[in-house]
């Protein structure tokens, strides 16, 4: 990356001051610290800001997040959603969800707005209602990501938004020498989204990369 490109990327990351999103200006910083302690890698500020914009773009009233972590991505989504919108966030790790709930409380998020579910994501999303959600998000490196993509396509309403953070996977996706299983799995997800006739997609460099797509209405 050239020095100019690196400076532009850094400027984009800092464009939205995340300390201004909630009354308590330290909420996101503390959530990031908890994530680091738990080994749950949070989204970077640029990716979070884009997630917030995408949630706002559909005035999301119902959203599903797979991979709660310490709640950083959740907070960004909630900041963009409709004031009465409900986020269903799923994580197999109880400790992650405990940390996230602490962040939600600090941010003043009312408990009816967040439904936390501890369980295996594929099992949980399989029980959710078809075409009932304005936004679905899961990290590109999630286990069984291709299965989660199929569930996301089923869950999204026409015009709903798919958000996949960490889509450039530590800059490994664009490196042809990176051929480990995790990187290959992320590439497979990107390829599947790009090839899907029912999705209109874009890959951005925000944060660690964000793949976003809109679910097309059914063609007659």
């Amino acid at each position: 990356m050239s020095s100019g490109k690196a400076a532009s990327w850094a400027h984009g990351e800092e464009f939205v001051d995340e300390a201004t999103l909630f009354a308590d200006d330290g909420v996101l910083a503390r959530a990031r610290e908890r994530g680091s302690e738990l080994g749950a890698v949070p989204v970077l500020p640029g990716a979070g800001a884009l997630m917030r914009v995408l949630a706002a773009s559909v005035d999301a009233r119902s959203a599903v997040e797979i991979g709660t972590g310490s709640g950083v991505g959740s907070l960004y989504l909630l900041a963009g959603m409709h004031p009465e919108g409900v986020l269903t966030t799923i994580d197999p790790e109880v400790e992650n969800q405990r940390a996230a709930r602490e962040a939600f409380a600090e941010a003043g998020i009312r408990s009816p707005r967040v439904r936390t579910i501890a369980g295996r994501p594929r099992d949980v999303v399989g029980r959710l209602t078809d075409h009932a959600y304005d936004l679905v998000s899961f990290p590109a490196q999630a286990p069984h990501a291709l299965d989660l993509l199929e569930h996301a396509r089923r869950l999204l309403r026409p015009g709903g938004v798919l958000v996949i953070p960490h889509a450039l996977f530590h800059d490994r996706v664009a490196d042809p020498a990176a051929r480990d299983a995790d990187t290959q799995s992320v590439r497979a997800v990107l390829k599947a989204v790009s090839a899907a006739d029912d999705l209109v997609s874009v890959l951005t460099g925000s944060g660690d990369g964000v793949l976003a797509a809109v679910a097309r209405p059914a063609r007659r």
Side-chain angles (χ1 to χ4, degrees):
M1 181 184 292
S2 69
S3 59
K5 181 65 72 175
S8 294
W9 179 88
H11 185 73
E13 290 297 297
E14 297 167 358
F15 182 73
V16 175
D17 182 0
E18 65 180 18
T20 66
L21 298 184
F22 299 97
D24 182 340
D25 61 9
V27 166
L28 280 160
R30 292 194 296 274
R32 289 184 186 283
E33 290 175 4
R34 295 185 197 106
S36 296
E37 293 169 1
L38 292 168
V41 180
V43 295
L44 292 172
L50 180 55
M51 293 169 71
R52 174 175 170 244
V53 166
L54 291 168
S57 72
V58 291
D59 196 26
R61 290 176 175 268
S62 57
V64 176
E65 177 192 39
I66 298 166
T68 312
S70 60
V72 174
S74 315
L75 288 172
Y76 269 109
L77 290 173
L78 287 160
M81 292 173 66
H82 186 279
E84 301 300 320
V86 176
L87 175 67
T88 298
T89 182
I90 304 160
D91 199 294
E93 300 297 333
V94 174
E95 286 299 317
N96 288 354
Q97 293 209 325
R98 184 176 293 117
R101 284 194 292 270
E102 186 173 351
F104 302 152
E106 291 176 352
I109 304 295
R110 294 179 295 106
S111 57
R113 292 201 60 206
V114 186
R115 181 168 62 144
T116 58
I117 301 176
R120 294 192 302 179
R122 284 196 300 174
D123 294 343
V124 176
V125 295
R127 299 194 294 269
L128 300 181
T129 305
D130 293 4
H131 311 304
Y133 295 90
D134 301 307
L135 183 148
V136 177
S137 177
F138 66 88
Q141 78 280 16
H144 313 293
L146 286 174
D147 289 343
L148 296 179
L149 172 59
E150 292 308 304
H151 281 294
R153 292 165 70 181
R154 175 180 60 80
L155 295 176
L156 283 171
R157 64 162 176 81
V161 176
L162 172 66
V163 185
I164 304 180
H166 302 296
L168 293 176
F169 198 51
H170 316 301
D171 297 319
R172 297 183 64 80
V173 166
D175 180 1
R179 303 194 61 80
D180 58 282
D182 289 340
T183 303
Q184 296 282 53
S185 176
V186 172
R187 289 185 181 127
V189 172
L190 269 60
K191 183 177 180 181
V193 171
S194 177
D197 292 337
D198 59 334
L199 298 174
V200 180
S201 59
V202 63
L203 176 61
T204 78
S206 298
D208 188 27
V210 177
L211 178 62
V214 176
R216 290 182 186 270
R219 300 288 180 88
R220 294 185 177 179

